[in-house]
Amino acid sequence: MTTNLSGKSVIAGIGATKFGALPGRSTISMNVEAIRKALQDAGVEKDAVDALWVKCPTSKFELMYGQKIAEATGLQPRIGGVWDQGGASNIMMISYAAMAIEAGQCEIAVICFADNPKTGSAASYSRPRGDDALYGWFATLSSYAMIARRHMGELGTRREDLGAVAVASRRHGAQNPNAQLRKALTLDEYMALPPMVAPFCRDDCALVSDGAGAVVVMSAERAKKMGVKKPVPILGFGHGQTSWEVAQRPDMTSTQAKIAAETAFKMAGLSRKDIDVAQIYDCFTITVLMTLEDYGFAKRGQIGDFVKGGNIEIGGELPVNTSGGLLSETGMPGMQLIHEGVRQMRGEATLQVKNAKHCIISNQGGVMHTHASLILGQ
Amino acid sequence: MNATVQTATKPKATLPDPDINEVSKQYWDALAKGKLTFQHCRKCNNNWLPARGECPRCLEADWAWHEASGKAKLISWVVFHRAFHPAFEERLPYNVAVVELAEGPRMITNIVIDDAEKLVIDQPLTFVPAEEQGHGIARFKPA
C-alpha cells in the first residue's frame, strides 16, 4: 500500500542572491540572504520553519554545515540536514521535504544551496579523478567529454548537436537580466571554438559562479490556509543513482535518469507529451542530450534531430532552460533550474512559455552519478 | 618512455601518487615489472579493476591477481588541449582513454598514437608497459 503524494506539497516561495562574482561573501551569508528572500516570497514568518535541508558547497566540504546554516538563521529544525548527492541534491531534498511533511515530521521546510567558487576556490572542478593522475586524468569536464565522445561514436551524435544545447541556453540567458553571461552564441561561432578537452570546447561547459538559492516547501493545504499567493504544486519526483565511475560503467551513454523520470511521471500521472517546458541540468552540453533521451523525449541516438533548428529554444516544441541554465544564467548546481520552473508555472518568467501547464526539471550530480527529476504544475 | 627520459623531463610539479595500499600493492608491483594484472573472484569468476578488497558482484573476499592477455578495446577517449596540472603543460595535446580488457575490467589509460583524433570507438588495442614518476603504468597502442 503506497500513498501518492502528487500535488500534496507545493513550492511556496523562492529566493536567490545575485549570480556571478560576489566577492567577500561567505556561503553562510549567501544562504541566509536566499532564505530571507524565499520566506518573503512565500509570505512566511521565519519562526514557522521547522525543517532545513542544505546542499553543502561544492568547493569546500564542511562538517556539520547544515547546523551552521541553522545557527545563522536562528532555527532549531525538527528534521533536515546536509545532502551529499552533488547537483542532484536540491530536487532530492525537496522530495524528502515533501515526504517528511506528509509523514507528519515537519510542516514548513526550507531547502537551500550556496557556493563561491568564482571568487573563492574552483580547485574542486580540476582535481584528479580517482587514482589516475599519473595518466593525466584531471577535471570534471574531462569525464563528461569522455561520455560525449562515446555518445558520438556509438550513436552518431555530432558536435552540432552539442552546439544546439549551448545555443539554446545562451539565447535564453542573453534575455535574462539576472544572468551571469548575457551573450548569445550562434552555431557557427560554437563550431569555430578551439577544443579544450576534445570533443568539448569552452562553451560546452557550465559557468563558474558565486551565489545562493532557496525554496520553501509546505503542504498545499497549509499554503491555502496561510494565503500563499502563488503556490506551485509538486506533481511528481523520482531519483536514480548511476553511481559507478565513468570508466567502470558498463553503459556510458545512458544513466539512471531514465528511472528517475519514470518514477516522477508515474507519480504525476503524466506523460512526456504533457510537458510544456523543461529545465534540464546543463553542466555540460552532453548532459542535456542524454537526459532528454533518457526521459523519452527522443529515441536513443535520435536526440540530434530533436534539438536541431531551435526545437529546444523558446517558441520550439520543448523550450529548455528558459532562463539560461548552468551555461548562461549561473553555474549554480541546479537550484536556479527549480526557480525557473516555479516562475514558468506562476506565469512570471522573463521568457514565459505560453499556456505552460507542466514543467519537468532535472538535477544531476557527480559525473552523472546521481539524478533527480521534478514535475511542477499549476 | 625509459627511466633516462623520465629523469630529464621530470616535472617540477609532482603528480599525486596512487593510493598504494595492502590490496593494490600487488597491482603496482606487477606494473613496475611490466605486467598488467587484474583481480579474479574465485567464488563467482568476476574480473575487475581497480583493486578492491571484495568482489563488487558477490561481495566475497576470495580473489587472486591474474595477468592480463594485454588485448583490449577502446571504449572512449578525450584529448586535453589544456593542462589542469603543471606536470602536463609541456605534453599538450595529450589523450586519456577508457579501455576494456579482453577479460572484462575497464581502466583509465593513455593511447600511444600521434594523432588521437584518428582513433575509432571500439578499435582493438594492445597493452604497452610504461613508467611515470617512478611508477609502472599501463598504456595501450592500436593493435
Side-chain angles (χ1 to χ4, degrees), chain A residues 125-126 128 131-139 141-143 145-154 195-199 246-252, chain B residues 15-19 28 49-50 74-82 84-85 88 94 96-98 106-110 117 121-122 132-133 135 137-138:
Chain A
Y125 300 121
S126 56
D131 234 7
D132 295 308
L134 295 176
Y135 296 98
W137 188 224
F138 285 86
L141 86 97
S142 318
S143 293
M146 190 72 84
I147 293 171
R149 178 89 72 176
R150 181 74 202 179
H151 207 274
M152 294 165 98
E154 187 182 317
M196 191 147 86
V197 176
V246 168
Q248 301 303 322
R249 264 170 225 175
D251 181 359
M252 216 185 263
Chain B
L15 290 164
D17 283 308
D19 173 29
W28 291 103
L49 282 174
L74 180 63
I75 299 302
S76 190
W77 79 102
V78 297
V79 182
F80 283 74
H81 293 265
R82 179 179 158 185
F84 292 89
H85 191 284
F88 283 89
Y94 71 92
V96 176
V98 173
R106 288 187 176 192
M107 61 182 293
I108 292 289
T109 184
N110 309 119
E117 292 300 338
I121 291 286
D122 292 333
E132 190 72 64
Q133 202 169 280
H135 298 285
I137 63 167

Side-chain angles (χ1 to χ4, degrees), chain A residues 8 10 44 48-50 101 106-108 218-228:
Chain A
K8 297 268 187 185
V10 300
V44 170
V49 175
D50 60 356
I101 289 166
C106 61
E107 293 186 12
I108 299 181
M218 64 178 73
S219 70
E221 201 182 327
R222 181 71 184 261
K224 199 174 176 184
K225 267 188 209 158
M226 292 181 76
V228 170

Side-chain angles (χ1 to χ4, degrees), chain A residues 72 223 369:
Chain A
H369 285 75

Side-chain angles (χ1 to χ4, degrees), chain A residues 26-93:
Chain A
S26 71
T27 61
I28 292 175
S29 158
M30 291 189 284
N31 264 316
V32 174
E33 180 188 338
I35 292 169
R36 184 178 74 230
K37 288 176 171 171
L39 290 172
Q40 285 166 354
D41 184 49
V44 170
E45 292 295 328
K46 187 203 81 181
D47 292 341
V49 175
D50 60 356
L52 178 64
W53 273 273
V54 182
K55 170 174 160 28
C56 196
T58 312
S59 62
K60 188 183 171 203
F61 187 81
E62 290 181 53
L63 280 172
M64 300 295 275
Y65 184 77
Q67 305 314 311
K68 292 176 185 170
I69 303 303
E71 180 179 318
T73 48
L75 291 171
Q76 293 185 304
R78 292 171 67 193
I79 193 168
V82 166
W83 205 245
D84 177 22
Q85 293 280 299
S89 299
N90 290 309
I91 287 179
M92 288 181 172
M93 295 190 292

